[in-house]
Amino acid sequence: MAILRAATLAALIMICAGLPVAAQDVTLTSRAGDIEISGNLLGFDGEFYRVDTIYGELTVDGSGVLCEGSECPDLKAYVANVTLSGAPTIGRVLMPALIEAFALRQGLELSRQPTSDIAMTYTLSDPGGGQPRGRFHVRLTNTDEGFADLLAGEAEMVMSLREVTRSEAIRGREAGLGDLRDARRSRVLALDALVPLVSAGNPVTTITTPQLVKVLSGEITNWAELGGADAPIAVHLHDPDTGLGQVTERQMLIGGAQGFAAGAIRHATGEGLSQAVSQDPLALGIGSRSEMGPTFELALTGACGFAMQATRRAVKTEDYPLTAPMFLYLPSYRLPRLVREFLVFTRESAAQLVIRRAGFVDQLPEEIEIDAQGDRFANAVLRAGGDVTLADLQRMVRVLGPLKRLTTTFRFEPGSIRLDPQSRSNVDSLARALESGFYDGRQLVFVGFSDGEGLASANNAIALRRADAVRNAVVQTAETAQLDRLEMDVETFGEAMPMACDDSEWGRRANRRVEIWIR
């Protein structure tokens, strides 16, 4: 009899107290018949029952009990069910592609059945029209609705384009979902980015981030101020109740901007935004890299001459400043085994290739040869001044020359020492790689860089502390790693290799980073 202690204790209390029990959905009885639990069945994951009793929610191993009641599942024909609700950007293309690849990996057949205008059910079955093994119900709502469905018990996973809010986390804890802000309750599924978009007929090709904010907030209203024609700018944005709309607000409304231009045209979908921008030569929109459609991306530049576009590597390393991670949020209770296996699959190399083919940025680490980073070192030389000497640059080349840069990079939230969401995911990914022995026999160097504000000596010290903090976070997360099988060092070069101009918060944030270099 394999009943959890909490369940056994609660059952014994019920029996000993002799309390009357109201009509319940199910009754779980031990195979010996000496312990009985009654309650409302909250869920069954193929292995464990979750039952709401008068003593609270209990989890009971199904192998040790017999279930009686109209709501008892059919153990011989059990089908794993999971509902995902949230951002259509994730649910329309990426999630179906991952489910299809997972079914192929498991040797299962996949069928699709629309259940409403915004919902689709994907059924995974044994080959040859055999027994269904699992059903993935995908609802294309938005990020807000996805969290609302999770809180209401109408979904088990949220497809989100933003982090959970404080109020959602509080309500989630009250609903028994655990702490949704805990790293174990979410994962970064893929990466996207916000990009400034114009039509093919627009002659403007670059824009600085301060200029972009002024356009969006209504301070700059004419293309002539950006080097274009003497004509008004038509601003296009995502609806504020969409995940991308909320990410745009969080990313762009910093540095004193109070709000977006009153006349901004709002769109419910990325496809609608890109189509509208492509048809208007006077339009400027903020859309997603994955839904650019027939539009053109403006490169982000600065007074110091740097220019950056949302290339795959620039997004993966967060060298591009407007990255937008795509999240899956999960409850604290156990999900069915097939669903757990799917979640494990989403982190594998095969799934990362699916993510890339679907038009998003994967998180598979890449090693970049130093020969492919000539522009970075050239910028370091061009930007060198009184605080960065020739000796500093020569030492950097001597140390990094024999190494390769990993695309795994760590950056921090604005005005905080807390790692941003993408970087927290990178900590987990690197820790799992260390636990698997992937980097055994190699040398990993955590290299700290800073922005150019303040004294170079102080910036070096701060960059070193950040590199140490990231290394320690990875070591603490990699609980089962055999760290004696590899070498992990810390180095710093402060402001010696900037990635962007220091004339904006985005530029300074891009420069404050910890990179991983590997031999």
Side-chain angles (χ1 to χ4, degrees):
M1 180 174 59
I3 301 179
L4 298 180
R5 289 181 184 174
T8 305
L9 179 59
L12 290 173
I13 292 175
M14 180 175 66
I15 294 170
C16 294
L19 296 175
V21 180
Q24 305 287 340
D25 287 337
V26 298
T27 298
L28 304 179
T29 307
S30 65
R31 296 191 181 277
D34 55 344
I35 297 177
E36 184 178 279
I37 301 170
S38 295
N40 295 313
L41 183 64
L42 298 177
F44 177 69
D45 64 9
E47 300 170 277
F48 287 81
Y49 296 94
R50 286 192 304 116
V51 184
D52 184 16
T53 74
I54 59 174
Y55 299 100
E57 182 178 324
L58 304 177
T59 302
V60 182
D61 189 338
S63 64
V65 297
L66 301 174
C67 183
E68 298 179 1
S70 60
E71 299 300 317
C72 288
D74 184 349
L75 301 184
K76 294 183 179 180
Y78 172 73
V79 179
N81 278 275
V82 64
T83 298
L84 301 92
S85 178
T89 303
I90 301 174
R92 185 178 293 114
V93 176
L94 179 56
M95 193 55 63
L98 288 171
I99 294 172
E100 183 175 3
F102 173 68
L104 184 64
R105 165 67 64 86
Q106 297 292 106
L108 301 174
E109 292 183 350
L110 179 68
S111 63
R112 306 167 182 81
Q113 179 65 45
T115 54
S116 75
D117 292 341
I118 63 167
M120 181 77 72
T121 293
Y122 300 86
T123 302
L124 284 67
S125 306
D126 290 328
Q131 168 70 28
R133 294 274 304 280
R135 293 189 179 95
F136 289 73
H137 309 279
V138 179
R139 299 187 65 227
L140 306 179
T141 55
N142 59 48
T143 295
D144 288 355
E145 288 294 322
F147 278 109
D149 286 345
L150 179 67
L151 295 170
E154 297 175 1
E156 288 76 39
M157 284 193 266
V158 182
M159 301 176 292
S160 176
L161 297 178
R162 60 164 173 81
E163 287 194 273
V164 64
T165 65
R166 183 174 180 274
S167 62
E168 288 166 343
I170 292 172
R171 284 181 284 152
R173 191 181 300 109
E174 293 171 348
L177 302 175
D179 185 358
L180 294 175
R181 291 176 296 184
D182 189 293
R184 294 168 294 183
R185 302 278 69 78
S186 69
R187 63 181 56 193
V188 175
L189 184 66
L191 304 173
D192 206 345
L194 298 177
V195 289
L197 303 173
V198 296
S199 72
N202 197 309
V204 176
T205 59
T206 65
I207 190 170
T208 69
T209 45
Q211 285 174 334
L212 182 58
V213 173
K214 289 181 179 180
V215 170
L216 300 182
S217 62
E219 293 183 56
I220 293 179
T221 60
N222 195 293
W223 279 108
E225 299 181 66
L226 303 177
D230 182 10
I233 301 173
V235 176
H236 291 255
L237 299 168
H238 284 272
D239 280 345
D241 60 350
T242 63
L244 278 175
Q246 293 159 7
V247 170
T248 302
E249 183 174 346
R250 181 175 62 84
Q251 291 263 32
M252 302 307 302
L253 294 185
I254 62 176
Q258 298 300 309
F260 292 127
I265 303 168
R266 299 285 189 160
H267 299 271
T269 66
E271 182 181 8
L273 186 150
S274 63
Q275 284 293 332
V277 171
S278 70
Q279 296 168 9
D280 184 357
L282 302 180
L284 188 153
I286 293 292
S288 70
R289 178 184 181 273
S290 62
E291 296 180 309
M292 288 175 54
T295 62
F296 285 79
E297 173 191 357
L298 295 182
L300 296 178
T301 187
C304 63
F306 282 105
M308 182 69 68
Q309 287 186 291
T311 63
R312 184 176 59 82
R313 277 187 174 174
V315 173
K316 186 180 290 192
T317 59
E318 281 193 279
D319 292 346
Y320 182 79
L322 302 179
T323 56
M326 309 172 78
F327 300 91
L328 273 185
Y329 276 87
L330 318 167
S332 58
Y333 55 78
R334 285 169 56 95
L335 295 171
R337 175 183 291 177
L338 187 71
V339 179
R340 300 198 306 271
E341 291 172 348
F342 170 75
L343 292 173
V344 171
F345 168 74
T346 62
R347 286 175 162 167
E348 295 179 1
S349 298
Q352 297 302 308
L353 293 177
V354 171
I355 289 169
R356 186 187 301 184
R357 289 170 183 161
F360 303 94
V361 178
D362 64 280
Q363 298 176 87
L364 201 63
E366 301 175 42
E367 297 181 14
I368 309 173
E369 298 276 358
I370 197 166
D371 292 347
Q373 302 179 68
D375 56 341
R376 282 168 32 105
F377 284 88
N379 284 332
V381 173
L382 289 173
R383 294 290 297 163
D387 289 337
V388 179
T389 67
L390 176 61
D392 294 329
L393 296 177
Q394 289 174 333
R395 187 177 76 86
M396 182 172 68
V397 173
R398 281 197 303 271
V399 173
L400 301 182
L403 310 178
K404 299 177 183 179
R405 182 195 177 189
L406 277 186
T407 51
T408 304
T409 306
F410 303 88
R411 283 185 168 83
F412 306 85
E413 293 184 346
S416 171
I417 60 172
R418 185 172 186 251
L419 290 171
D420 66 20
Q422 186 170 329
S423 298
R424 296 198 297 272
S425 177
N426 286 343
V427 168
D428 184 64
S429 298
L430 183 55
R432 285 186 288 106
L434 295 181
E435 289 178 327
S436 71
F438 186 79
Y439 292 114
D440 283 1
R442 305 191 71 178
Q443 177 192 20
L444 271 66
V445 184
F446 292 74
V447 184
F449 294 94
S450 71
D451 60 40
E453 296 286 295
L455 296 175
S457 57
N459 289 336
N460 266 319
I462 293 172
L464 182 60
R465 287 200 296 271
R466 285 180 176 147
D468 259 327
V470 171
R471 179 191 181 280
N472 292 339
V474 171
V475 169
Q476 291 172 7
T477 305
E479 297 178 352
T480 63
Q482 295 181 312
L483 299 179
D484 58 337
R485 296 185 175 182
L486 70 156
E487 184 179 346
M488 298 176 67
D489 299 321
V490 173
E491 184 58 87
T492 180
F493 298 107
E495 57 193 73
M497 190 157 57
M499 292 302 306
C501 304
D502 281 327
D503 60 353
S504 70
E505 174 55 35
W506 294 275
R508 291 188 290 273
R509 178 174 174 268
N511 291 333
R512 297 190 295 263
R513 67 197 186 276
V514 175
E515 297 180 356
I516 304 294
W517 288 69
I518 189 167
R519 188 200 302 267

